[in-house]
Structures are given as C-alpha cells and as structure tokens.
C-alpha cells in the first residue's frame, strides 16, 4: 500500500513540475554575441570578443583521453546511471554537510546536457527538479554517446567559447580531435569554473587544475601512473597567447570598438585583419616596461603610453599602459592630457605658412600678460635667436610671440587640418600646450610631416569579413589629402630636426635623419616626445593617471629615451632613408599655390639660391619668402581676456 501511494505521490510531483517544461521537441538556442577575432598583420590572433563556436564533433571522433578526462572529473558513472546518480547526490550532500556550505554538486552529465539544451541557468529547486525529469527523458530517448556529444558541443569553456572544438582552437590552436593528454585535462578542468581556469588568463591555475583531472583519471583507471608521469615530464603546454604580446589588448580593444562603424555585426563571426606588427608590438611593450621599471619609480612616474605608426597612419604598435590586466584604460587613445611644448610645432608651422623661415629671428625675452609671465626651463632669456633654435630649445616666450604673429585662429585651423579633433581654447597659452589632446591624434598630426605634408587618418583595420568568406570591408585610399605644402613641411622639419642635434631631444638622436619635439606640462604632470623618421612616427607619453607631478621629468628625458630605444629596434636592419627638410631631399614636382594663396597651379619646386653649406628652403620658382622681423616690444594687451594663468615649460 505504501509503495502504491509513493508512486502516486511521485507522479503528482512529476506532473506538477513538468507542467511548464519547455517544448522538448525544440532545442533552446541561446543568443550569441558576434564572435570577433582580431588578427595582426602576420595573421596571428591578437584577441577575441563575443561568443565563439567551433565545429560539431561527435564524441566517438574525439581522442579517448579527452572523453575520459571529462568523465573522470565530471561524471565517472556516466555509462552506468540512468540520468540521475544517487551515489553522486549522496556524496555531494555529505561533502556539503561537512563543509557547512555548497562545495560540490551532484549533477550528472545528462542533467547538465538537459540544462544546456532546454533550461535557463537559474538555480532554483524547481529548475533542478525539471532538470532531473528532462535527464531521465534524454536517457530514455538517446544513447549515451549522443548525450555526451550534445553536452560537449554546447557547454561553456570560458573566454567566450562554446563547445569543445571552439575551446581547443581558442586555447591551443588545434581542433578538438588533435589535443594531447595534458590539453585534454586542461579542457576538462575548465568545466568546473571556466573563467577561473582559462589557460589564456590564468595558465598556472589551469595547469594545477589539469593535475587534479589527471589524478582523477588515474583513480578511475583511465590512465596509469606511468602515463601520468610521462605527461608531467613533457614541457608545459603553452596556452595560445595574443599575437603581439599581452599589451596588444589595448590595440585590439581600440579596433573592436570600431567594427560596428565598418560593418553590420549581425554576422555570427567576423575576422578583423589589422596593421599591428607583432615584433614591433612586443618591442614596444618590452621597452616601455624596462624603462619604466628602471627609471619610473625613481622619478615618480607610474604610467606610460606609446603609439607607433607608418607615415600613412597605419598603427603598427600601441601600448596603452603598464599592464592590461591591472588597468584596461587606454592612455594612448582615451586619456586627454596637456601636450606642453610638443604643441609648439603648430604655432611655428602656422607662422611658416605666413612667411617664417628657420633662419628668421625671433625674440626670447621677458613678457608679462596680465598676471602671467612665462619663463624658460633654464630660467634664462636668450634675446634674438633663430626660429630653428627657439623651437629646438623650446623657448617659451618666443613660442607665445610666434603664436601671436601666426594668429590663434590660424593655428587652431592648422591643427584641425593635421587631425587634432580635441577642443582647443583660443588663448595665447595654447602655444605652450594647455589644451588637452590624446597621444594618438598628436602622433598622427606629426605623421603629416613625415608624409610630405599629406594629412593622416590613423587606422588599424585593413579588412573585415566572415572567416573564409568574401570581405565585407576592405580599406583603400588614403587620408584627407594635402594638409601642408611641401616647402612648409621642409621648413618645419628643418627646425624639428635641430631638436635632435642642439635641442631638447638630443637623447633621442638616431643614426639616420629624424625629427621630433619634446613636451612637458605644468608642474611636470605630463612628459611627451613625438618624433619621426622616413619609416615610422612614434609618440610617447609618461605621467600618472591622477595627475600627480613627477620629479622634474621632461619630454627630453624619460619619454625621449623610450622613443630612442623603440626606434632603434624598429629601424634595425633598415637602410637610412632621406627625410624632407632634415637631409635636404627635394621632391621632383608638386601642384601648388603661390604664397598669396592664389589658385593652385602645377609648378616645379626649386630651392632658393644659397651659399655652400647653408640650408635650402623649398619655394615655388617665382615666389619669395618674407622674413619675419624679431619682436621688439611687448605684446598688445587687447584681445587676451581669456588667457589662463601660470603654465608649464617645454
């Protein structure tokens, strides 16, 4: 009688909990985020985003040690129970009672397959009972191998991977049918806590978990101690690392954020081919880390960023900070900081467009505007000097006078032409870099000077499309076109080249034509060095995230050293190439307008007559360049109401 009533009660319970079961004729298809794989210029994977699925693999096609690893750690009696394992449930209850908390589960692989196929992940008593009911139904309708196949191809393995094949490809670069014993143990170990044991994020924890799995395999009789010892004697399994080093995630994040602007991301998977060069990326990370480890702590600098691009704007390396795992904030792209004297280039170039030459005389002398009296880093004034010396040695009062002569609005318009999109305040203090910019846009602005005056749009995406299919987007074309006339580029490059020989960038000097400019913001809060050769344009920033002042770090010190070290590696094995204005190279011809701004007309470009050894200045054949006379008087007090207060030096 008791048995009869027990069966009736069980039927009522089953009927109650089965009332709102999902339609078992349909397998639940959870929403998946588009899987975006970002690859370097050599095809090596940098990072993945979204949810990745691999090929459907039958359990019978997998290596025996892979299925045995899963069974040993997840459900050792899988082939003997009927969907629910009473022994496993009892063991889990006993262990949890002893621990005083839930530390072990009693679910079988069949129950987990039922949850993955039909139910939501929520943890309630109702869902656990429904899971058990569905597990029995699966056992009644499908073979054990079919259930194991469904489980292994649907379960989550961490890092956005769903299914055993996707995990094997993502972590080890091989299909699931080719994994070895240690890799199998790592994959099986992921099932307990995918994020915690993911080998690409925590390789040491993954190896320790793999040891636990292999011990379980020995205990279950799947492998012998000798086989386990042989696996332990093998070199550790290297998890698949990003193509350009761990720091390349800053670059990958920058790229992934742009993908929706290029293509519709409704596709299940996209492959993004980029301009990143792994060898240069690794060099950039290593040099930034070593220089900051050696000198950063001594001078109170905790962070650094670096951007390297070709003259056409193709970003080949990006360091967004010291340690992506500690901070994902990309200081190369997102941080807005005062550029200090590295912004003086714009004022001088705007003056060049108004007739300034490298040999024009400018005045470096005391100046007072309201309560503001800018000074120089050395505490001295140098009187009449050439524009070349004033920019190379970063004299502040000369830069302020230069901005007044060139015009604030003209200078801002020039900065916009060169790619500065950040807000720029129309004040004379702009000459000393008081309006914040980011490293990427400042570097790309300087790139125009290495690109014969053609403007640059910094880019990292070459091609986007589903893996193995036709491209949805392919980059073609260039930047915005001519932003600065070539003879103006030559003049400013001649001044910036002097920075490397007689100015603030001497510690960055190379064995080939190069030019650049240092920058230091007020109170030594930011230090910059932006420089270029004919091959690469590189920008470096050093500082602290909270704006804490450093110990007298200038752009010509630590940033210039980082720039120099990176450029030595980047240029290794490359022949020295001429750089317009630095090596007196001349273009053959160009379409240009006269100095008065008339309609463009084709014209050969010729140097002005010069005495032997004197620098040559490119001009149209019929044009003359007026000389800017030195400023002999104080600046006009009018029109300066918006001027801000005390400023930093270069």
């Amino acid at each position: 009688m008791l048995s009869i009533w027990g069966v009736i009660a069980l039927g009522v319970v089953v009927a109650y909990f089965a009332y709102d079961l999902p339609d078992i004729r349909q397998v639940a298809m959870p929403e998946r985020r588009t899987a975006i794989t970002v690859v370097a210029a050599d095809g090596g994977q940098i990072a993945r985003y979204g949810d990745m699925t691999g090929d459907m693999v039958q359990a019978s096609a997998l290596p025996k040690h892979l299925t045995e690893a899963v069974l040993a750690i997840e459900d050792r009696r899988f082939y003997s129970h009927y969907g629910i394992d009473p022994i496993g449930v009892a063991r889990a209850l006993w262990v949890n009672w002893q621990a005083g908390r839930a530390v072990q589960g009693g679910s079988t692989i069949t129950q987990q397959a039922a949850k993955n196929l039909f139910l939501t992940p929520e943890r309630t008593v109702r869902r656990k009972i429904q899971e058990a009911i569905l597990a029995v139904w699966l056992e009644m309708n499908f073979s054990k191998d079919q259930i194991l196949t469904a489980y292994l191809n649907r379960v989550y393995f961490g890092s956005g991977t769903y299914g055993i094949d996707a995990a094997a490809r993502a972590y080890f670069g091989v299909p699931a049918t080719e994994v070895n014993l240690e890799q199998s143990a790592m994959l099986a170990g992921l099932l307990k806590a995918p994020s915690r044991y993911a080998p690409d994020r925590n390789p040491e924890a993954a190896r320790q978990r793999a040891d636990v799995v292999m011990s379980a395999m020995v205990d279950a009789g799947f492998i012998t101690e000798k086989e386990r010892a042989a696996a332990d004697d093998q070199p550790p399994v290297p998890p698949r690392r990003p193509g350009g080093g761990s720091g390349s995630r800053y670059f990958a994040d920058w790229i992934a954020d742009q993908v929706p602007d290029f293509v519709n991301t409704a596709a299940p998977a996209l492959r993004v081919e980029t301009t990143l060069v792994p060898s240069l990326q690794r060099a950039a990370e290593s040099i930034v880390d070593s220089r900051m480890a050696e000198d950063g702590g001594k001078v109170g600098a905790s962070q650094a960023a670096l951007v390297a691009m070709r003259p056409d704007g193709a970003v080949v390396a990006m360091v967004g900070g010291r340690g992506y795992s500690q901070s994902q904030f990309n200081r190369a792209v997102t941080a807005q900081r005062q550029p200090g004297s590295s912004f003086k280039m714009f004022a001088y170039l705007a003056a060049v467009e108004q007739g300034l030459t490298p040999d024009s005389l400018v005045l470096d002398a005391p100046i007072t505007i309201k309560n503001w009296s800018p000074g120089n880093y050395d505490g001295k004034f140098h009187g009449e000097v050439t524009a070349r010396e004033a920019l190379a040695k970063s004299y502040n009062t000369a830069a302020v006078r230069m901005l007044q002569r060139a015009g604030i609005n003209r200078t801002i318009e020039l900065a916009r032409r060169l790619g500065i999109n950040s807000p720029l305040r129309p004040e004379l203090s702009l000459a000393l870099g008081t309006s914040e910019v980011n490293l990427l846009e400042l570097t790309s602005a300087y790139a125009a000077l290495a690109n014969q005056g053609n403007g640059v749009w910094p880019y990292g995406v070459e091609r986007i499309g589903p893996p193995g299919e036709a491209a949805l987007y392919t980059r073609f074309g260039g930047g915005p076109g001519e932003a600065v006339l070539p003879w103006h580029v030559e003049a400013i490059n001649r001044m910036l080249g002097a920075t490397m020989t007689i100015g603030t960038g001497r510690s960055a000097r190379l064995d080939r034509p190069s030019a650049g400019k240092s920058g230091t913001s007020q109170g030594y809060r930011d230090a910059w060095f932006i420089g270029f050769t004919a091959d690469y344009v590189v920008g470096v920033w050093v500082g602290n995230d909270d704006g804490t002042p450093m110990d007298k770090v200038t752009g010509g010190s630590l940033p210039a050293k980082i720039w120099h070290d990176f450029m030595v590696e980047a240029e290794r094995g490359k022949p020295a190439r001429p750089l317009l204005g630095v090596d007196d190279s001349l273009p053959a011809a160009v379409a240009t307008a006269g100095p008065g701004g008339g309609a463009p007309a084709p014209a050969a470009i010729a140097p002005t007559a010069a005495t032997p050894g004197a620098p040559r200045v490119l001009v149209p054949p019929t044009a003359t360049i007026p000389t800017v006379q030195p400023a002999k008087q104080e600046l006009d007090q009018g029109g300066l109401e918006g001027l801000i207060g005390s400023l930093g030096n270069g």
Side-chain angles (χ1 to χ4, degrees):
M1 184 62 70
L2 289 174
S3 299
I4 293 172
W5 280 108
V7 171
I8 293 173
L10 179 61
V12 171
V13 170
V14 170
Y16 174 77
F17 285 104
Y19 174 75
D20 61 348
L21 277 175
D23 187 351
I24 56 178
R25 294 171 299 178
Q26 296 182 0
V27 174
M29 296 301 294
E31 290 187 7
R32 295 277 191 263
R33 300 169 296 166
T34 297
I36 298 175
T37 302
V38 181
V39 300
D42 66 352
Q45 179 178 299
I46 302 173
R48 289 183 299 100
Y49 301 86
D51 299 329
M52 178 181 177
T53 56
D55 295 334
M56 181 75 175
V57 185
Q58 296 294 323
S60 58
L62 295 171
K64 185 179 179 182
H65 50 251
L66 176 54
T67 55
E68 289 177 343
V70 172
L71 296 177
I73 199 67
E74 289 292 307
D75 188 357
R76 204 171 295 181
R77 283 177 291 278
F78 173 70
Y79 281 98
S80 60
H81 62 63
Y82 295 95
I84 303 173
D85 183 9
I87 298 176
V89 172
R91 183 193 65 248
L93 290 173
W94 173 252
V95 171
N96 293 340
W97 179 78
Q98 285 186 313
R101 57 189 177 89
V103 295
Q104 191 176 108
S107 295
T108 63
I109 284 178
T110 311
Q111 287 176 270
Q112 294 178 56
K115 179 179 67 176
N116 290 332
L117 290 169
F118 304 114
L119 301 173
T120 63
E122 65 175 313
R123 293 187 175 186
T124 62
V125 173
R126 183 182 194 85
R127 276 290 181 260
K128 291 297 292 183
I129 295 175
Q130 290 180 331
E131 179 184 292
I133 294 171
L134 288 171
V136 173
W137 179 85
L138 285 174
E139 292 278 351
M140 293 172 61
N141 289 274
F142 299 95
S143 69
K144 288 288 188 179
D145 281 352
Q146 287 176 316
I147 294 171
L148 185 59
T149 295
Y151 172 69
L152 290 177
N153 284 278
R154 286 292 295 261
V155 70
Y156 183 59
F157 281 91
S159 295
T161 59
Y162 287 84
I164 192 73
D165 190 62
R169 294 177 187 273
Y171 295 133
F172 308 117
V174 298
T177 54
E178 297 179 13
V179 294
N180 60 30
L181 176 57
E182 186 180 0
Q183 291 168 335
S184 298
M186 280 192 180
L187 291 172
L190 285 167
L191 296 170
K192 178 180 181 180
S195 298
R196 187 191 315 167
Y197 297 121
D200 61 342
R201 297 183 180 181
N202 196 341
E204 185 57 36
R207 291 190 181 98
Q208 292 175 358
R209 178 64 178 166
D211 288 339
V212 173
V213 173
M214 283 194 281
S215 295
M217 294 177 73
V218 172
D219 187 58
F222 292 143
I223 62 173
T224 65
E225 281 287 359
K226 185 177 180 180
E227 289 173 314
R228 178 191 174 161
D232 289 339
D233 290 339
Q234 296 297 317
V237 176
R240 208 172 185 200
R241 289 298 192 180
S246 59
S248 59
R249 283 297 301 270
Y250 289 111
F251 175 85
D253 288 353
W254 176 58
I255 294 297
D257 289 342
Q258 300 174 51
V259 170
D261 297 330
F262 290 109
V263 299
N264 184 350
T265 55
L270 291 172
R271 175 184 168 91
V272 184
E273 298 174 8
T274 73
T275 57
L276 185 111
V277 178
S279 60
L280 296 180
Q281 177 65 30
R282 287 188 290 269
E285 293 175 30
S286 175
I287 289 165
V288 169
D289 285 345
S290 61
R291 276 291 184 182
M292 291 299 292
E294 180 181 352
D295 300 326
K298 301 175 186 176
V299 295
S302 62
Q303 278 295 348
L306 181 149
V307 170
M309 62 180 66
R310 296 191 181 95
D312 69 344
V315 177
V316 295
M318 177 183 289
V319 177
R322 297 182 65 197
Y324 183 86
S325 59
Q326 283 74 42
S327 171
Q328 289 78 52
F329 180 67
N330 192 336
R331 296 153 189 85
V333 174
T334 308
Q336 296 290 117
R337 308 297 291 246
Q338 289 186 351
S341 293
S342 59
F343 199 86
K344 289 177 182 175
M345 179 274 289
F346 298 97
Y348 277 81
L349 182 53
V352 165
E353 292 185 331
Q354 303 303 309
L356 181 79
T357 74
D359 293 318
S360 297
L361 295 177
V362 297
L363 182 63
D364 176 49
I367 183 173
T368 299
I369 304 171
K370 294 191 174 180
N371 296 322
W372 178 48
S373 298
N376 291 320
Y377 177 73
D378 60 4
K380 302 176 183 178
F381 297 97
H382 306 85
E384 288 186 357
V385 295
T386 64
R388 178 192 293 105
E389 180 182 348
L391 181 57
K393 297 184 178 180
S394 206
Y395 296 153
N396 283 340
T397 64
V400 173
R401 287 183 168 94
M402 193 61 62
L403 181 61
Q404 188 194 35
R405 288 185 179 281
I408 296 175
N409 291 334
R410 285 196 187 98
T411 302
I412 291 176
E413 187 273 333
L414 169 66
R416 296 285 182 243
R417 268 189 277 143
L418 293 178
I420 299 296
N421 296 313
S422 297
L424 300 175
R425 294 183 291 276
E427 307 163 348
L428 284 182
S429 61
L430 185 67
L432 305 189
T434 55
S435 290
E436 294 82 4
V437 298
N438 64 64
L439 180 61
L440 180 66
E441 65 180 342
L442 187 59
T443 305
S444 64
Y446 273 75
L449 307 182
N451 197 32
Q452 306 291 318
N454 293 306
V456 165
W457 289 326
Y459 71 96
V461 176
E462 291 281 14
R463 181 186 180 278
I464 303 176
E469 298 182 20
L472 301 175
Y473 165 83
T474 301
R475 186 182 186 277
F476 65 92
E482 187 176 73
V484 184
L485 296 175
W487 49 89
H488 295 155
V489 173
E490 190 207 21
I492 193 66
N493 283 1
R494 202 176 295 283
M495 301 184 213
L496 295 172
T499 300
M500 317 294 272
T501 56
I502 64 169
T504 58
R506 290 189 296 274
S507 60
R509 188 173 182 178
L510 301 172
D511 63 350
R512 61 197 61 219
S514 60
K517 185 70 186 78
S518 62
T520 311
S521 68
Q522 180 184 5
Y524 303 99
R525 288 178 170 83
D526 305 277
W528 309 67
F529 194 86
I530 318 293
F532 53 94
T533 64
D535 298 307
Y536 299 108
V537 186
V538 179
V540 177
W541 167 86
V542 172
N544 296 302
D545 288 339
D546 60 1
T548 303
M550 296 176 286
D551 185 11
K552 296 184 178 180
V553 177
T554 65
S557 58
L558 184 53
K561 293 176 182 178
I562 293 173
W563 186 93
H564 171 271
D565 292 352
F566 174 79
M567 290 297 276
V568 168
E569 288 299 317
E571 297 283 3
R572 190 179 301 278
K574 292 181 178 290
R577 296 175 56 204
L579 186 62
L580 180 61
V582 178
D583 65 333
D584 297 327
S585 62
L586 303 176
V590 70
T592 180
I605 299 198
T608 55
T611 57
R616 294 181 293 176
V617 179
L618 289 176
V619 296
T622 59
T624 58
I625 295 182
T627 300
V628 176
Q629 296 299 321
K632 297 290 188 180
Q633 56 189 8
E634 297 299 327
L635 292 176
D636 185 359
Q637 299 295 311
L640 304 178
E641 296 297 328
L643 190 64
I644 68 169
S646 53
L647 303 166
N649 299 313

